[in-house]
């Protein structure tokens, strides 16, 4: 007899975690449908929806025409009439084509109807740079939506969170824009064993990824991992850095940031989007407004330069946040 | 929701086969739509209302004709110029029936006066109302933007085993929006019961038809989606009714969407703020021509020819051909005036929203 067990438990990557979340929620909630370009027969440009069409059928998984505004609008209408809808943007950059439907139709529905309609729509899509995607396949445009009241905005950095946050979003019944970091989709180093039992990660709760006492690094998505590398380097120099992963931008867990600052008194905030009106600026503003007494140094932002994301590697590296830039900013804050 | 009651049985008959009482009811609803409009114009002129009024004057046959044959559970998606549609929906189920699936005149008037008695607690302006209960999709200022929402609503209904249709209202100007195409394209692919009603009143604010639409008729656009497109006489309530009924039957049978273009004419400016300017950018002769066939007069002529109404009976109430400033309550049946009065009374009694409500209901858990 072979000693090989029937099933070997393997760690899951970020993409599989999201796929599992969608599959499990489809199974749990018969009123859930999925809309998106190429999500059915092909299984999605990245494979996130692979298998859903075969399992749940064409009346629950729709290969949509190339029309992001219609995807969002149809999702809104179906949600108005009792469905829970996952709407995929093939790349989050393309969300601009559905922008009006998101910010004027979907985001305002609950407000303008005084709660008559709570549209349960999760708009999700691959986001972020670092892979040579160039201008139209590299954006982090989360700030557009953080500035549109009525939308929750979520960006996980680990497989565990990706699954748990996606499930939380699909059960939330408020509209959510869910930013998946495509550079993390298949990254081996971040794979995790996921619980067998059903779990969610609640919206609006940040995570402390590493504890520290001298400096707080605040970020989300891809740059959480850059911050962890920075923290390791600083540790070798005798500096103890704490890393906060926001996980949800709206609603923002500002208490988690303030609690960390109370210990460390210094902060660097990192976002991948351009600096002007970016989310790091929002975090810094709230720190200045509500946690100023904790500060021993001015808060510093590390962001993309105020440019589009260029294509070839040296240019891309030049404009984006990096371990080096975060390290440099940290040292400035520590020296102050 | 599938409500195949006896009450539904008459929905779908061509206008010639309706009972005389039913056809007279259509005339009464034309009076009601007109009275609502002229009364609000007067209220606005007296400075009693906030915001802008988008008059439906001269376009009432489109509203009444399109709504008259719907089943209670069908959906509609009106826009700014269709205010009467909100309370006309399912009015055939009875003017005073509290369980009918339209909005009440009380709810609509509360919205007009900006009071909490409206379903959205007056958080958005006059024309942006709606009600999930009444199956009326809430409009926004982004024209044609509700068509995909309508498509989504009936998609969900089909998935639940229902046979509801949705009637979306659009000006000819909104057909230039990309979302107009995106939504109908999607509905056509999946044969969804989405009827795109186009109220072609010839003017998109200050822009004439030919500067917004390249085709002779808006209905021509249907060819591009492989769906039927028909033109109705928007001044004739029974022609609108007959053409919309064909589209509704087609959609309910699972054959898919269609476009019904109703040719009509905008009597006043784009909004009441625009009336003086509209007098300059529009040729008075064109306006006179456009308003010549008043929908109330057209309906009366038809009812007389069918023997439903005598000439004397038709002359009893005569708002047709008159401006808002020229008509009085005597020009309308008393039950129409009373109906509206009840709405106004309710609105005046309903309180203004508490200012703190401005910060509420952003998210579901906020209240």
């Amino acid at each position: 007899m072979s000693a090989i067990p029937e099933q070997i438990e393997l760690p899951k990557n970020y993409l599989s975690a999201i796929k599992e979340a969608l599959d499990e929620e489809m199974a749990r909630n018969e009123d859930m449908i999925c809309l998106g370009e190429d999500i059915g027969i092909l299984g999605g440009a990245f494979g996130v929806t692979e298998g859903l069409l075969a399992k749940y059928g064409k009346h629950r998984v729709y290969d949509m025409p190339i029309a992001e505004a219609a995807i969002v609008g149809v999702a809104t209408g179906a949600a108005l009439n009792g469905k829970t809808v996952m709407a995929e943007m093939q790349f989050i950059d393309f969300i601009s084509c559905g922008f009006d439907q998101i910010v004027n139709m979907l985001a305002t529905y609950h407000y303008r109807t005084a709660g008559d309609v709570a549209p349960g729509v999760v708009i999700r899509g691959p986001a972020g740079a670092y892979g040579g995607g160039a201008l139209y396949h590299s954006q982090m445009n989360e700030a557009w939506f953080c500035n549109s009241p009525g939308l929750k905005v979520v960006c996980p950095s680990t497989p565990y969170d990706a699954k748990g946050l996606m499930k939380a979003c699909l059960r939330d019944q408020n509209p959510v824009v869910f930013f998946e970091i495509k550079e993390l989709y298949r990254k081996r180093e971040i794979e995790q064993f996921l619980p067998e039992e059903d779990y969610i990660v609640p919206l609006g709760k940040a995570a402390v990824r590493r504890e520290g006492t001298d400096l707080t690094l605040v970020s989300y998505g891809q740059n959480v991992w850059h911050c962890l590398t920075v923290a390791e380097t600083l540790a070798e120099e005798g500096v103890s850095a704490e890393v906060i992963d926001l996980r949800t931008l709206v609603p923002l867990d500002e208490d988690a940031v303030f609690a960390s600052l109370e210990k460390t008194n210094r902060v660097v905030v990192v976002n991948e989007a351009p600096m002007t009106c970016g989310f790091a600026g929002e975090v810094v503003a709230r720190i200045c407004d509500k946690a100023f007494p904790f500060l021993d140094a001015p808060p510093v932002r590390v962001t993309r330069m105020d440019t589009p994301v260029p294509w070839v590697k040296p240019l891309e590296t030049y404009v984006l946040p990096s371990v080096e830039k975060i390290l440099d900013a940290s040292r400035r804050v520590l020296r102050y | 929701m599938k409500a195949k009651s006896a009450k539904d049985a008459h929905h779908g008959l061509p206008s010639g086969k309706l009972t005389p009482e039913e056809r007279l009811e259509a005339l009464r609803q034309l009076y009601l739509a007109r009275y609502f409009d002229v009364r609000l114009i007067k209220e606005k002129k007296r400075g009693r209302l906030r915001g802008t009024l988008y008059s439906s004057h001269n376009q009432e046959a489109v509203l009444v004709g399109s709504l008259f044959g719907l089943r209670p559970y069908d959906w509609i998606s009106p826009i700014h110029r269709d205010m009467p549609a909100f309370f006309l929906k399912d009015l055939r189920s009875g003017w005073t029936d509290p369980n009918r699936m339209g909005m009440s005149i009380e709810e609509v008037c509360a919205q007009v006066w900006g009071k909490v008695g409206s379903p959205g607690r007056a958080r958005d302006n006059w024309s942006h109302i709606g009600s999930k209960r009444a199956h009326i999709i809430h409009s926004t200022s982004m024209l044609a933007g509700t068509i995909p929402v309508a498509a989504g609503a009936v998609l969900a209904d089909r998935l639940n085993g229902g046979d509801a249709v949705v009637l979306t209202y659009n000006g000819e100007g909104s057909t230039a929006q990309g979302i107009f195409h995106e939504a109908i394209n999607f509905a056509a692919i999946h044969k969804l019961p989405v009827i795109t009603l186009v109220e072609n009143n010839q003017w998109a604010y200050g822009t004439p038809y030919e500067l917004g639409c390249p085709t002779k008729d808006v209905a021509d656009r249907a060819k591009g989606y492989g769906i039927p497109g028909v033109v109705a006489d928007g001044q004739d309530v029974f022609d609108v009714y007959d053409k919309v009924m064909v589209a509704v039957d087609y959609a309910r049978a699972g054959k898919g969407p269609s476009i019904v273009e109703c040719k009509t004419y905008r009597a006043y400016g784009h909004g009441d703020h625009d009336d003086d300017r509209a007098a300059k950018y529009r040729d008075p002769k064109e306006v006179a021509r456009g308003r010549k066939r008043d929908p109330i007069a057209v309906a009366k002529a038809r009812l007389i020819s069918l023997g439903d109404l005598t000439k004397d009976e038709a002359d009893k109430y005569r708002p047709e051909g008159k401006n808002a400033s020229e008509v009085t309550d005597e020009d309308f049946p008393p039950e129409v005036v009373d109906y509206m009065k009840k709405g106004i009374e309710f609105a005046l009694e309903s309180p203004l929203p508490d200012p703190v409500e401005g910060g509420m209901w952003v998210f579901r858990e906020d209240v």
Side-chain angles (χ1 to χ4, degrees), chain B residues 24 27 300-301 303-318:
Chain B
L24 287 166
L27 173 64
K300 281 182 180 174
L303 292 170
I304 291 169
S305 75
L306 286 166
D308 299 340
L309 197 64
T310 65
K311 183 83 174 52
D312 285 349
E313 285 166 337
D315 283 341
K316 197 168 174 196
Y317 307 109
R318 294 198 58 89

mmCIF file with all atom_site columns, all heavy atoms in Angstrom, chain B residues 24 27 300-301 303-318:
data_model
loop_
_atom_site.group_PDB
_atom_site.id
_atom_site.type_symbol
_atom_site.label_atom_id
_atom_site.label_alt_id
_atom_site.label_comp_id
_atom_site.label_asym_id
_atom_site.label_entity_id
_atom_site.label_seq_id
_atom_site.pdbx_PDB_ins_code
_atom_site.Cartn_x
_atom_site.Cartn_y
_atom_site.Cartn_z
_atom_site.occupancy
_atom_site.B_iso_or_equiv
_atom_site.pdbx_formal_charge
_atom_site.auth_seq_id
_atom_site.auth_comp_id
_atom_site.auth_asym_id
_atom_site.auth_atom_id
_atom_site.pdbx_PDB_model_num
ATOM 1   N N   . LEU B 1 24  ? -62.233 55.646 -21.663 1.00 0.00 ? 24  LEU B N   1
ATOM 2   C CA  . LEU B 1 24  ? -62.516 56.911 -20.974 1.00 0.00 ? 24  LEU B CA  1
ATOM 3   C C   . LEU B 1 24  ? -61.566 57.112 -19.792 1.00 0.00 ? 24  LEU B C   1
ATOM 4   O O   . LEU B 1 24  ? -61.195 58.236 -19.453 1.00 0.00 ? 24  LEU B O   1
ATOM 5   C CB  . LEU B 1 24  ? -63.979 56.940 -20.491 1.00 0.00 ? 24  LEU B CB  1
ATOM 6   C CG  . LEU B 1 24  ? -65.000 57.120 -21.614 1.00 0.00 ? 24  LEU B CG  1
ATOM 7   C CD1 . LEU B 1 24  ? -66.416 56.807 -21.116 1.00 0.00 ? 24  LEU B CD1 1
ATOM 8   C CD2 . LEU B 1 24  ? -64.947 58.537 -22.197 1.00 0.00 ? 24  LEU B CD2 1
ATOM 9   N N   . LEU B 1 27  ? -58.543 58.781 -20.987 1.00 0.00 ? 27  LEU B N   1
ATOM 10  C CA  . LEU B 1 27  ? -58.742 60.234 -21.104 1.00 0.00 ? 27  LEU B CA  1
ATOM 11  C C   . LEU B 1 27  ? -58.628 60.897 -19.730 1.00 0.00 ? 27  LEU B C   1
ATOM 12  O O   . LEU B 1 27  ? -57.996 61.943 -19.582 1.00 0.00 ? 27  LEU B O   1
ATOM 13  C CB  . LEU B 1 27  ? -60.113 60.540 -21.719 1.00 0.00 ? 27  LEU B CB  1
ATOM 14  C CG  . LEU B 1 27  ? -60.507 62.020 -21.746 1.00 0.00 ? 27  LEU B CG  1
ATOM 15  C CD1 . LEU B 1 27  ? -59.546 62.829 -22.636 1.00 0.00 ? 27  LEU B CD1 1
ATOM 16  C CD2 . LEU B 1 27  ? -61.950 62.216 -22.226 1.00 0.00 ? 27  LEU B CD2 1
ATOM 17  N N   . LYS B 1 300 ? -59.996 62.836 -27.391 1.00 0.00 ? 300 LYS B N   1
ATOM 18  C CA  . LYS B 1 300 ? -61.442 63.102 -27.432 1.00 0.00 ? 300 LYS B CA  1
ATOM 19  C C   . LYS B 1 300 ? -62.025 62.772 -28.811 1.00 0.00 ? 300 LYS B C   1
ATOM 20  O O   . LYS B 1 300 ? -63.082 62.147 -28.920 1.00 0.00 ? 300 LYS B O   1
ATOM 21  C CB  . LYS B 1 300 ? -61.721 64.567 -27.111 1.00 0.00 ? 300 LYS B CB  1
ATOM 22  C CG  . LYS B 1 300 ? -61.677 64.890 -25.631 1.00 0.00 ? 300 LYS B CG  1
ATOM 23  C CD  . LYS B 1 300 ? -62.010 66.360 -25.431 1.00 0.00 ? 300 LYS B CD  1
ATOM 24  C CE  . LYS B 1 300 ? -61.983 66.737 -23.962 1.00 0.00 ? 300 LYS B CE  1
ATOM 25  N NZ  . LYS B 1 300 ? -62.170 68.183 -23.781 1.00 0.00 ? 300 LYS B NZ  1
ATOM 26  N N   . ALA B 1 301 ? -61.308 63.201 -29.856 1.00 0.00 ? 301 ALA B N   1
ATOM 27  C CA  . ALA B 1 301 ? -61.795 62.951 -31.213 1.00 0.00 ? 301 ALA B CA  1
ATOM 28  C C   . ALA B 1 301 ? -61.951 61.448 -31.448 1.00 0.00 ? 301 ALA B C   1
ATOM 29  O O   . ALA B 1 301 ? -62.936 60.978 -32.030 1.00 0.00 ? 301 ALA B O   1
ATOM 30  C CB  . ALA B 1 301 ? -60.830 63.560 -32.235 1.00 0.00 ? 301 ALA B CB  1
ATOM 31  N N   . LEU B 1 303 ? -62.409 59.116 -29.139 1.00 0.00 ? 303 LEU B N   1
ATOM 32  C CA  . LEU B 1 303 ? -63.488 58.582 -28.313 1.00 0.00 ? 303 LEU B CA  1
ATOM 33  C C   . LEU B 1 303 ? -64.857 58.928 -28.899 1.00 0.00 ? 303 LEU B C   1
ATOM 34  O O   . LEU B 1 303 ? -65.789 58.134 -28.840 1.00 0.00 ? 303 LEU B O   1
ATOM 35  C CB  . LEU B 1 303 ? -63.367 59.115 -26.880 1.00 0.00 ? 303 LEU B CB  1
ATOM 36  C CG  . LEU B 1 303 ? -62.146 58.603 -26.108 1.00 0.00 ? 303 LEU B CG  1
ATOM 37  C CD1 . LEU B 1 303 ? -61.969 59.355 -24.792 1.00 0.00 ? 303 LEU B CD1 1
ATOM 38  C CD2 . LEU B 1 303 ? -62.270 57.108 -25.841 1.00 0.00 ? 303 LEU B CD2 1
ATOM 39  N N   . ILE B 1 304 ? -64.936 60.105 -29.492 1.00 0.00 ? 304 ILE B N   1
ATOM 40  C CA  . ILE B 1 304 ? -66.202 60.488 -30.140 1.00 0.00 ? 304 ILE B CA  1
ATOM 41  C C   . ILE B 1 304 ? -66.463 59.582 -31.340 1.00 0.00 ? 304 ILE B C   1
ATOM 42  O O   . ILE B 1 304 ? -67.564 59.062 -31.538 1.00 0.00 ? 304 ILE B O   1
ATOM 43  C CB  . ILE B 1 304 ? -66.178 61.980 -30.551 1.00 0.00 ? 304 ILE B CB  1
ATOM 44  C CG1 . ILE B 1 304 ? -66.197 62.868 -29.288 1.00 0.00 ? 304 ILE B CG1 1
ATOM 45  C CG2 . ILE B 1 304 ? -67.352 62.324 -31.462 1.00 0.00 ? 304 ILE B CG2 1
ATOM 46  C CD1 . ILE B 1 304 ? -65.907 64.333 -29.540 1.00 0.00 ? 304 ILE B CD1 1
ATOM 47  N N   . SER B 1 305 ? -65.389 59.344 -32.122 1.00 0.00 ? 305 SER B N   1
ATOM 48  C CA  . SER B 1 305 ? -65.573 58.517 -33.323 1.00 0.00 ? 305 SER B CA  1
ATOM 49  C C   . SER B 1 305 ? -65.934 57.078 -32.963 1.00 0.00 ? 305 SER B C   1
ATOM 50  O O   . SER B 1 305 ? -66.612 56.385 -33.713 1.00 0.00 ? 305 SER B O   1
ATOM 51  C CB  . SER B 1 305 ? -64.320 58.558 -34.198 1.00 0.00 ? 305 SER B CB  1
ATOM 52  O OG  . SER B 1 305 ? -63.305 57.761 -33.616 1.00 0.00 ? 305 SER B OG  1
ATOM 53  N N   . LEU B 1 306 ? -65.484 56.615 -31.810 1.00 0.00 ? 306 LEU B N   1
ATOM 54  C CA  . LEU B 1 306 ? -65.820 55.256 -31.371 1.00 0.00 ? 306 LEU B CA  1
ATOM 55  C C   . LEU B 1 306 ? -67.183 55.198 -30.676 1.00 0.00 ? 306 LEU B C   1
ATOM 56  O O   . LEU B 1 306 ? -67.658 54.129 -30.315 1.00 0.00 ? 306 LEU B O   1
ATOM 57  C CB  . LEU B 1 306 ? -64.745 54.729 -30.417 1.00 0.00 ? 306 LEU B CB  1
ATOM 58  C CG  . LEU B 1 306 ? -63.404 54.327 -31.041 1.00 0.00 ? 306 LEU B CG  1
ATOM 59  C CD1 . LEU B 1 306 ? -62.344 54.159 -29.967 1.00 0.00 ? 306 LEU B CD1 1
ATOM 60  C CD2 . LEU B 1 306 ? -63.549 53.055 -31.857 1.00 0.00 ? 306 LEU B CD2 1
ATOM 61  N N   . GLY B 1 307 ? -67.755 56.370 -30.444 1.00 0.00 ? 307 GLY B N   1
ATOM 62  C CA  . GLY B 1 307 ? -69.064 56.407 -29.779 1.00 0.00 ? 307 GLY B CA  1
ATOM 63  C C   . GLY B 1 307 ? -68.976 56.306 -28.265 1.00 0.00 ? 307 GLY B C   1
ATOM 64  O O   . GLY B 1 307 ? -69.971 56.075 -27.584 1.00 0.00 ? 307 GLY B O   1
ATOM 65  N N   . ASP B 1 308 ? -67.765 56.445 -27.728 1.00 0.00 ? 308 ASP B N   1
ATOM 66  C CA  . ASP B 1 308 ? -67.606 56.359 -26.268 1.00 0.00 ? 308 ASP B CA  1
ATOM 67  C C   . ASP B 1 308 ? -68.027 57.655 -25.580 1.00 0.00 ? 308 ASP B C   1
ATOM 68  O O   . ASP B 1 308 ? -68.292 57.678 -24.373 1.00 0.00 ? 308 ASP B O   1
ATOM 69  C CB  . ASP B 1 308 ? -66.141 56.102 -25.893 1.00 0.00 ? 308 ASP B CB  1
ATOM 70  C CG  . ASP B 1 308 ? -65.615 54.802 -26.458 1.00 0.00 ? 308 ASP B CG  1
ATOM 71  O OD1 . ASP B 1 308 ? -66.446 53.935 -26.806 1.00 0.00 ? 308 ASP B OD1 1
ATOM 72  O OD2 . ASP B 1 308 ? -64.384 54.651 -26.570 1.00 0.00 ? 308 ASP B OD2 1
ATOM 73  N N   . LEU B 1 309 ? -68.031 58.726 -26.350 1.00 0.00 ? 309 LEU B N   1
ATOM 74  C CA  . LEU B 1 309 ? -68.198 60.047 -25.765 1.00 0.00 ? 309 LEU B CA  1
ATOM 75  C C   . LEU B 1 309 ? -69.014 60.893 -26.749 1.00 0.00 ? 309 LEU B C   1
ATOM 76  O O   . LEU B 1 309 ? -68.799 60.800 -27.958 1.00 0.00 ? 309 LEU B O   1
ATOM 77  C CB  . LEU B 1 309 ? -66.798 60.656 -25.613 1.00 0.00 ? 309 LEU B CB  1
ATOM 78  C CG  . LEU B 1 309 ? -66.541 61.846 -24.708 1.00 0.00 ? 309 LEU B CG  1
ATOM 79  C CD1 . LEU B 1 309 ? -66.805 61.473 -23.250 1.00 0.00 ? 309 LEU B CD1 1
ATOM 80  C CD2 . LEU B 1 309 ? -65.081 62.285 -24.852 1.00 0.00 ? 309 LEU B CD2 1
ATOM 81  N N   . THR B 1 310 ? -69.954 61.702 -26.219 1.00 0.00 ? 310 THR B N   1
ATOM 82  C CA  . THR B 1 310 ? -70.673 62.624 -27.110 1.00 0.00 ? 310 THR B CA  1
ATOM 83  C C   . THR B 1 310 ? -69.888 63.933 -27.180 1.00 0.00 ? 310 THR B C   1
ATOM 84  O O   . THR B 1 310 ? -69.031 64.198 -26.329 1.00 0.00 ? 310 THR B O   1
ATOM 85  C CB  . THR B 1 310 ? -72.087 62.932 -26.576 1.00 0.00 ? 310 THR B CB  1
ATOM 86  O OG1 . THR B 1 310 ? -71.955 63.642 -25.344 1.00 0.00 ? 310 THR B OG1 1
ATOM 87  C CG2 . THR B 1 310 ? -72.899 61.654 -26.370 1.00 0.00 ? 310 THR B CG2 1
ATOM 88  N N   . LYS B 1 311 ? -70.220 64.735 -28.178 1.00 0.00 ? 311 LYS B N   1
ATOM 89  C CA  . LYS B 1 311 ? -69.552 66.029 -28.335 1.00 0.00 ? 311 LYS B CA  1
ATOM 90  C C   . LYS B 1 311 ? -69.759 66.890 -27.083 1.00 0.00 ? 311 LYS B C   1
ATOM 91  O O   . LYS B 1 311 ? -68.822 67.544 -26.610 1.00 0.00 ? 311 LYS B O   1
ATOM 92  C CB  . LYS B 1 311 ? -70.133 66.717 -29.586 1.00 0.00 ? 311 LYS B CB  1
ATOM 93  C CG  . LYS B 1 311 ? -69.518 68.035 -29.940 1.00 0.00 ? 311 LYS B CG  1
ATOM 94  C CD  . LYS B 1 311 ? -68.222 67.830 -30.742 1.00 0.00 ? 311 LYS B CD  1
ATOM 95  C CE  . LYS B 1 311 ? -67.629 69.133 -31.252 1.00 0.00 ? 311 LYS B CE  1
ATOM 96  N NZ  . LYS B 1 311 ? -67.456 70.159 -30.226 1.00 0.00 ? 311 LYS B NZ  1
ATOM 97  N N   . ASP B 1 312 ? -70.968 66.848 -26.549 1.00 0.00 ? 312 ASP B N   1
ATOM 98  C CA  . ASP B 1 312 ? -71.257 67.648 -25.351 1.00 0.00 ? 312 ASP B CA  1
ATOM 99  C C   . ASP B 1 312 ? -70.433 67.200 -24.159 1.00 0.00 ? 312 ASP B C   1
ATOM 100 O O   . ASP B 1 312 ? -69.909 68.016 -23.402 1.00 0.00 ? 312 ASP B O   1
ATOM 101 C CB  . ASP B 1 312 ? -72.756 67.561 -24.993 1.00 0.00 ? 312 ASP B CB  1
ATOM 102 C CG  . ASP B 1 312 ? -73.603 68.403 -25.940 1.00 0.00 ? 312 ASP B CG  1
ATOM 103 O OD1 . ASP B 1 312 ? -72.987 69.201 -26.707 1.00 0.00 ? 312 ASP B OD1 1
ATOM 104 O OD2 . ASP B 1 312 ? -74.832 68.254 -25.919 1.00 0.00 ? 312 ASP B OD2 1
ATOM 105 N N   . GLU B 1 313 ? -70.348 65.876 -24.008 1.00 0.00 ? 313 GLU B N   1
ATOM 106 C CA  . GLU B 1 313 ? -69.548 65.342 -22.892 1.00 0.00 ? 313 GLU B CA  1
ATOM 107 C C   . GLU B 1 313 ? -68.085 65.743 -23.053 1.00 0.00 ? 313 GLU B C   1
ATOM 108 O O   . GLU B 1 313 ? -67.410 66.083 -22.090 1.00 0.00 ? 313 GLU B O   1
ATOM 109 C CB  . GLU B 1 313 ? -69.664 63.815 -22.834 1.00 0.00 ? 313 GLU B CB  1
ATOM 110 C CG  . GLU B 1 313 ? -70.994 63.335 -22.280 1.00 0.00 ? 313 GLU B CG  1
ATOM 111 C CD  . GLU B 1 313 ? -71.246 61.848 -22.548 1.00 0.00 ? 313 GLU B CD  1
ATOM 112 O OE1 . GLU B 1 313 ? -70.654 61.270 -23.505 1.00 0.00 ? 313 GLU B OE1 1
ATOM 113 O OE2 . GLU B 1 313 ? -72.036 61.262 -21.802 1.00 0.00 ? 313 GLU B OE2 1
ATOM 114 N N   . ALA B 1 314 ? -67.620 65.703 -24.296 1.00 0.00 ? 314 ALA B N   1
ATOM 115 C CA  . ALA B 1 314 ? -66.220 66.046 -24.561 1.00 0.00 ? 314 ALA B CA  1
ATOM 116 C C   . ALA B 1 314 ? -65.931 67.504 -24.241 1.00 0.00 ? 314 ALA B C   1
ATOM 117 O O   . ALA B 1 314 ? -64.823 67.863 -23.858 1.00 0.00 ? 314 ALA B O   1
ATOM 118 C CB  . ALA B 1 314 ? -65.877 65.746 -26.021 1.00 0.00 ? 314 ALA B CB  1
ATOM 119 N N   . ASP B 1 315 ? -66.942 68.342 -24.404 1.00 0.00 ? 315 ASP B N   1
ATOM 120 C CA  . ASP B 1 315 ? -66.749 69.780 -24.186 1.00 0.00 ? 315 ASP B CA  1
ATOM 121 C C   . ASP B 1 315 ? -66.872 70.192 -22.716 1.00 0.00 ? 315 ASP B C   1
ATOM 122 O O   . ASP B 1 315 ? -66.620 71.349 -22.368 1.00 0.00 ? 315 ASP B O   1
ATOM 123 C CB  . ASP B 1 315 ? -67.768 70.592 -25.012 1.00 0.00 ? 315 ASP B CB  1
ATOM 124 C CG  . ASP B 1 315 ? -67.361 70.655 -26.471 1.00 0.00 ? 315 ASP B CG  1
ATOM 125 O OD1 . ASP B 1 315 ? -66.148 70.407 -26.738 1.00 0.00 ? 315 ASP B OD1 1
ATOM 126 O OD2 . ASP B 1 315 ? -68.216 70.911 -27.326 1.00 0.00 ? 315 ASP B OD2 1
ATOM 127 N N   . LYS B 1 316 ? -67.269 69.247 -21.882 1.00 0.00 ? 316 LYS B N   1
ATOM 128 C CA  . LYS B 1 316 ? -67.515 69.584 -20.482 1.00 0.00 ? 316 LYS B CA  1
ATOM 129 C C   . LYS B 1 316 ? -66.248 70.131 -19.808 1.00 0.00 ? 316 LYS B C   1
ATOM 130 O O   . LYS B 1 316 ? -66.300 71.097 -19.054 1.00 0.00 ? 316 LYS B O   1
ATOM 131 C CB  . LYS B 1 316 ? -68.035 68.348 -19.745 1.00 0.00 ? 316 LYS B CB  1
ATOM 132 C CG  . LYS B 1 316 ? -68.692 68.687 -18.432 1.00 0.00 ? 316 LYS B CG  1
ATOM 133 C CD  . LYS B 1 316 ? -69.436 67.468 -17.884 1.00 0.00 ? 316 LYS B CD  1
ATOM 134 C CE  . LYS B 1 316 ? -69.969 67.773 -16.499 1.00 0.00 ? 316 LYS B CE  1
ATOM 135 N NZ  . LYS B 1 316 ? -70.351 66.550 -15.776 1.00 0.00 ? 316 LYS B NZ  1
ATOM 136 N N   . TYR B 1 317 ? -65.125 69.486 -20.092 1.00 0.00 ? 317 TYR B N   1
ATOM 137 C CA  . TYR B 1 317 ? -63.838 69.944 -19.538 1.00 0.00 ? 317 TYR B CA  1
ATOM 138 C C   . TYR B 1 317 ? -62.894 70.218 -20.701 1.00 0.00 ? 317 TYR B C   1
ATOM 139 O O   . TYR B 1 317 ? -62.727 69.364 -21.562 1.00 0.00 ? 317 TYR B O   1
ATOM 140 C CB  . TYR B 1 317 ? -63.239 68.880 -18.605 1.00 0.00 ? 317 TYR B CB  1
ATOM 141 C CG  . TYR B 1 317 ? -64.202 68.444 -17.538 1.00 0.00 ? 317 TYR B CG  1
ATOM 142 C CD1 . TYR B 1 317 ? -64.778 67.164 -17.571 1.00 0.00 ? 317 TYR B CD1 1
ATOM 143 C CD2 . TYR B 1 317 ? -64.566 69.314 -16.508 1.00 0.00 ? 317 TYR B CD2 1
ATOM 144 C CE1 . TYR B 1 317 ? -65.683 66.771 -16.610 1.00 0.00 ? 317 TYR B CE1 1
ATOM 145 C CE2 . TYR B 1 317 ? -65.476 68.924 -15.537 1.00 0.00 ? 317 TYR B CE2 1
ATOM 146 C CZ  . TYR B 1 317 ? -66.032 67.649 -15.589 1.00 0.00 ? 317 TYR B CZ  1
ATOM 147 O OH  . TYR B 1 317 ? -66.942 67.271 -14.643 1.00 0.00 ? 317 TYR B OH  1
ATOM 148 N N   . ARG B 1 318 ? -62.300 71.408 -20.717 1.00 0.00 ? 318 ARG B N   1
ATOM 149 C CA  . ARG B 1 318 ? -61.523 71.765 -21.902 1.00 0.00 ? 318 ARG B CA  1
ATOM 150 C C   . ARG B 1 318 ? -60.160 72.399 -21.571 1.00 0.00 ? 318 ARG B C   1
ATOM 151 O O   . ARG B 1 318 ? -59.943 73.592 -21.792 1.00 0.00 ? 318 ARG B O   1
ATOM 152 C CB  . ARG B 1 318 ? -62.318 72.749 -22.777 1.00 0.00 ? 318 ARG B CB  1
ATOM 153 C CG  . ARG B 1 318 ? -63.582 72.166 -23.390 1.00 0.00 ? 318 ARG B CG  1
ATOM 154 C CD  . ARG B 1 318 ? -64.054 73.020 -24.559 1.00 0.00 ? 318 ARG B CD  1
ATOM 155 N NE  . ARG B 1 318 ? -63.046 73.152 -25.591 1.00 0.00 ? 318 ARG B NE  1
ATOM 156 C CZ  . ARG B 1 318 ? -62.913 72.303 -26.603 1.00 0.00 ? 318 ARG B CZ  1
ATOM 157 N NH1 . ARG B 1 318 ? -63.704 71.264 -26.732 1.00 0.00 ? 318 ARG B NH1 1
ATOM 158 N NH2 . ARG B 1 318 ? -61.965 72.500 -27.498 1.00 0.00 ? 318 ARG B NH2 1
#
